[in-house]
Amino acid sequence: MMSMSSSMMSMNYIHCTRVQSKFIHGHNSITLARSKSNVEATLTLKPCTPKLKQPSLVVFCSDSVVLVKRNPIASLTLLWMATKVMEVVKGLDLKRYMGRWYEIACFPSRFQPSDGVNTRATYTFGDDGTVRVLNETWSGGKRSFIEGTAHKADPDSDEAKLKVRFWVPPFLPVIPVTGDYWVLFIDPDYQYALIGQPSRNYLWILSRKNEMDDEIYKELVKRAKDEGYDVSKLHKTPHSNPPPEGEGPEDTKGVWWFKSLLGK
């Protein structure tokens, strides 16, 4: 799916669970490592200002500064500025990528109804190089949808980084909303894909079919985890067989939009 989240500058963090602290001759340092990511660093810890109410440290790492609100001796986890660049697909064939994709799993978003089923996206390649986007889901027995466009963020780059734009609310489109759409992985036959964003707040597992083999699903989840995503937030999308083909009543009043804003 292509997100409706607002595009903004954000600082990317990863959650480190392998933390080793060592204190030598009064000089505090902490070594962080993230499994199978080639990310490892030794950071220098310095006390924060005494005005802070709880014991805190400032972590200096290259040009990054991270505030840790607990002493590392008492905690084995902390937030660390990610130095690993997220890997994306290179040389994506956009024409092969077109067509229908089913949402197998995603991070829940307030821009999608929480009870949505049979969620899917259909991409159509235009003559001007712009991709037409149609996102659909069924909620309460009614078909809800939103339309938008997508294009490569950098036409001169071979990286699969796209920008998407939707007009909201869908029943009275007046506000443009843009977001990032990065293809993190796609199989050689273009049958399943992993989609993310630089913020790591959105994630989708897509398939040409509305079901996916468990081994393939686990492989994609592992890839997402290796890229720093909190895969515990993944929610599988229910699908019916056969999938709907656009028949039935439509939500023409945007009820799903208001429900999604309320987190329902």
Side-chain angles (χ1 to χ4, degrees):
M1 302 299 291
M2 294 194 174
S3 168
M4 293 180 287
S5 63
S6 298
S7 175
M8 62 184 67
M9 294 295 293
S10 61
M11 301 168 67
N12 295 335
Y13 293 90
I14 57 176
H15 196 218
C16 297
T17 55
R18 295 173 55 201
V19 178
Q20 298 175 347
S21 305
K22 56 184 177 181
F23 302 86
I24 303 175
H25 301 298
H27 297 283
N28 301 343
S29 66
I30 186 168
T31 299
L32 305 180
R34 181 164 164 266
S35 176
K36 298 182 180 180
S37 66
N38 299 323
V39 176
E40 186 171 346
T42 299
L43 312 178
T44 301
L45 307 183
K46 296 182 180 181
C48 277
T49 171
K51 294 182 180 180
L52 294 174
K53 294 182 179 180
Q54 54 180 310
S56 303
L57 298 171
V58 170
V59 178
F60 295 88
C61 178
S62 300
D63 296 329
S64 306
V65 179
V66 181
L67 178 64
V68 184
K69 291 187 177 181
R70 291 183 176 83
N71 192 301
I73 298 179
S75 175
L76 295 179
T77 61
L78 62 86
L79 290 174
W80 176 40
M81 180 69 75
T83 59
K84 180 182 183 296
V85 177
M86 194 182 308
E87 296 183 9
V88 300
V89 171
K90 294 183 178 181
L92 180 73
D93 187 337
L94 269 181
K95 290 186 177 180
R96 288 187 65 192
Y97 193 76
M98 296 300 95
R100 177 165 292 174
W101 291 89
Y102 292 94
E103 180 187 271
I104 301 300
C106 71
F107 281 3
S109 164
R110 66 189 180 95
F111 294 107
Q112 291 181 238
S114 59
D115 62 346
V117 300
N118 294 315
T119 306
R120 64 195 187 193
T122 304
Y123 307 134
T124 307
F125 201 74
D127 295 334
D128 60 352
T130 299
V131 177
R132 177 177 173 269
V133 181
L134 172 63
N135 287 348
E136 301 173 280
T137 191
W138 273 255
S139 175
K142 293 186 177 182
R143 172 179 172 265
S144 305
F145 66 93
I146 189 168
E147 295 179 285
T149 58
H151 63 274
K152 289 194 66 175
D154 182 358
D156 298 325
S157 173
D158 65 344
E159 292 186 316
K161 295 180 179 180
L162 284 76
K163 286 287 185 180
V164 295
R165 171 179 285 188
F166 294 91
W167 292 84
V168 297
F171 52 90
L172 184 63
V174 293
I175 305 173
V177 178
T178 60
D180 295 293
Y181 182 100
W182 290 10
V183 183
L184 307 182
F185 177 80
I186 190 166
D187 73 297
D189 296 325
Y190 283 57
Q191 294 300 301
Y192 48 89
L194 181 68
I195 311 300
Q197 290 186 320
S199 66
R200 291 182 172 85
N201 292 327
Y202 298 87
L203 185 69
W204 294 270
I205 293 179
L206 305 181
S207 174
R208 294 292 191 182
K209 300 179 180 179
N210 65 353
E211 56 186 9
M212 177 176 286
D213 181 82
D214 285 343
E215 291 303 316
I216 295 176
Y217 180 80
K218 291 177 181 178
E219 174 191 343
L220 295 176
V221 171
K222 181 179 180 301
R223 285 180 178 272
K225 185 176 181 180
D226 289 344
E227 291 295 340
Y229 286 86
D230 180 6
V231 296
S232 66
K233 296 191 296 184
L234 270 172
H235 170 75
K236 285 192 174 183
T237 305
H239 287 275
S240 60
N241 282 305
E245 292 298 331
E247 299 178 355
E250 292 186 354
D251 175 12
T252 58
K253 297 181 180 180
V255 174
W256 73 273
W257 174 259
F258 290 111
K259 287 174 62 179
S260 65
L261 290 179
L262 297 173
K264 297 181 179 181

